[in-house]
Amino acid sequence: MLRGAALRVTAPRLAVLTAVHDHPHSDTDTILGFVRETRGGVSHQAVYDVLKALTTAGLIRRIQPMGSVALYETRVGDNHHHVVCRTCGVIADVDCAVGEAPCLTASDTNGFALDEAEVIYWGLCPECSKTAATQNK
């Protein structure tokens, strides 16, 4: 994947890419923790730099739901969306409703050539819904 994106294959890049793949929707600090478990002493700046390079190359996707830090995932190129729990912050992927990018049609493109739509659904995850229902009894 790295070579296909014209990036040199380095141990930090492999470690970050693996961490993001194995733990989608993780923030930089969480990714840093996983990378340090496998690689040892990797600096925060090195992880930031790798995340930026991988995002720029299109190998990972950066999302940032309202009120959240940047999160990363390796699921790219399919214009999927996300659902976020308002209580605990857990995030899950939601496939595109129509199936073609962009899966929403703008009422006015303002002359833009649209190629992607980003949607974030908000609500309560099953666990938080269960807790809320129990508290309301």
Side-chain angles (χ1 to χ4, degrees):
M1 289 173 55
L2 292 167
R3 285 187 185 106
L7 293 174
R8 284 186 325 119
V9 177
T10 64
R13 285 179 179 162
L14 286 173
V16 169
L17 191 57
T18 299
V20 174
H21 179 268
D22 292 347
H23 308 281
H25 311 128
S26 291
D27 64 19
T28 304
D29 288 337
T30 302
I31 294 165
L32 176 63
F34 289 121
V35 169
R36 284 184 174 164
E37 285 178 13
T38 59
R39 288 267 315 135
V42 175
S43 73
H44 214 117
Q45 188 60 50
V47 171
Y48 272 112
D49 292 345
V50 170
L51 287 170
K52 183 175 181 182
L54 295 176
T55 302
T56 301
L59 296 178
I60 64 173
R61 180 177 177 187
R62 178 184 187 274
I63 62 168
Q64 191 166 4
M66 181 181 63
S68 172
V69 296
L71 307 171
Y72 298 90
E73 64 183 352
T74 55
R75 186 175 170 187
V76 296
D78 67 351
N79 201 52
H80 72 280
H81 307 299
H82 297 92
V83 59
V84 181
C85 179
R86 289 187 185 281
T87 302
C88 70
V90 71
I91 298 176
D93 291 338
V94 176
D95 288 331
C96 189
V98 173
E100 283 186 43
C103 65
L104 300 175
T105 303
S107 61
D108 182 357
T109 65
N110 292 300
F112 283 68
L114 302 179
D115 60 14
E116 182 177 1
E118 184 173 315
V119 174
I120 298 178
Y121 300 97
W122 294 87
L124 296 179
C125 69
E127 192 63 36
C128 290
S129 292
K130 189 178 356 174
T131 302
T134 303
Q135 290 174 350
N136 290 333
K137 286 185 178 183

